[in-house]
Amino acid sequence: MRPLSIEVFGDFTSPWCWIAERRLHQALDEAGALQQAQLHYRPFLQNPSIQPQGIERRYYCTAKAGSWARAQLLDAQVSAAGQEQGLEFRFDRISTVPQTLAAHLLVWQTQQSAPAKTSALVDAIYHGYFHLGLDIGKHQVLADIAASVGLDAKACLNALNKAQGLSELRVLLAESRKPSIDKVPLVDIDGHRVTGAQPISVFRRAITRSPL
């Protein structure tokens, strides 16, 4: 069977991206396509204006939703959708909406040095932020998350501090700002695009339409 090429566009502060990631993997499993799937994670900054220190989450969500009550309602809807995929969102633990540039850089670095661990790393970053409430904008936090999936924390921290691959990452970020990619999550499965955290059946149809 030939490889199944999949591009995943997402950002680590988008809860729907975590849900879409989980649904994609479940669809691949159900379609018997996990072994031949080659996932390429493409960076997307949902909030490109956020500074390295991040922004207080309650302030950010209130401004975005129009009120804190509305923001909490949206959180509850996300939590319910996440539970269906076995994901537990703990928004009460999150104090900061971080800048995600370093998280994307770590994923890019891992795709170059240890591609087999990339999917586990992506899931661990989402889990660290949405379940544990970690500040994934900090290099040490990211290095610790990398260690949890079997990567060398010291090497990851060193690569992040040296910003290895940042110029290449910025090229990918510029490409992800094309008019055809205006929001995430977005998954391209051999040319079949799935936009949004669609049901597993939608991902599965896109997978089975691709000749394996």
Side-chain angles (χ1 to χ4, degrees):
M1 291 185 180
R2 72 171 181 80
L4 179 64
S5 181
I6 301 175
E7 287 190 311
V8 181
F9 295 82
D11 197 8
F12 293 106
T13 54
S14 166
W16 292 108
C17 286
W18 192 20
I19 292 172
E21 172 79 6
R22 187 59 61 90
R23 289 176 178 173
L24 169 63
H25 276 81
Q26 187 168 336
L28 287 166
D29 186 38
E30 291 179 2
L34 272 175
Q35 295 304 313
Q36 62 265 37
Q38 293 185 348
L39 275 67
H40 308 278
Y41 291 93
R42 301 294 298 270
F44 186 95
L45 294 182
Q46 190 167 237
N47 307 293
S49 63
I50 289 183
Q51 298 302 303
Q53 69 273 17
I55 186 172
E56 197 269 325
R57 185 175 187 271
R58 178 163 181 158
Y59 171 83
Y60 172 84
C61 291
T62 298
K64 187 174 181 180
S67 71
W68 180 235
R70 172 64 177 165
Q72 290 179 303
L73 177 61
L74 295 174
D75 284 350
Q77 293 173 349
V78 166
S79 294
Q83 285 180 352
E84 295 176 2
Q85 310 307 137
L87 305 177
E88 183 183 5
F89 287 86
R90 289 299 305 269
F91 294 107
D92 58 304
R93 295 174 176 171
I94 304 173
S95 60
T96 302
V97 177
Q99 183 193 81
T100 57
L101 184 65
H104 286 299
L105 182 57
L106 176 61
V107 170
W108 183 89
Q109 292 165 349
T110 303
Q111 287 187 131
Q112 313 311 307
S113 62
K117 293 185 180 294
T118 309
S119 288
L121 173 64
V122 168
D123 187 69
I125 295 173
Y126 280 122
H127 181 267
Y129 181 61
F130 285 115
H131 182 73
L132 301 178
L134 302 178
D135 185 349
I136 59 170
K138 295 182 178 178
H139 289 185
Q140 184 61 62
V141 170
L142 290 169
D144 291 341
I145 291 174
S148 75
V149 298
L151 293 167
D152 186 320
K154 185 176 181 180
C156 289
L157 182 60
N158 184 54
L160 284 172
N161 288 339
K162 290 183 176 179
Q164 293 177 3
L166 184 58
S167 58
E168 291 88 343
L169 182 71
R170 291 197 183 280
V171 171
L172 293 175
L173 284 168
E175 291 177 355
S176 73
R177 282 294 173 182
K178 293 178 179 178
S180 59
I181 307 171
D182 59 351
K183 61 181 178 180
V184 291
L186 186 151
V187 179
D188 187 298
I189 303 171
D190 266 351
H192 303 299
R193 284 196 170 186
V194 178
T195 303
Q198 298 293 335
I200 294 168
S201 59
V202 175
F203 285 106
R204 191 170 57 244
R205 282 197 298 272
I207 291 165
T208 54
R209 285 210 314 267
S210 299
L212 301 181

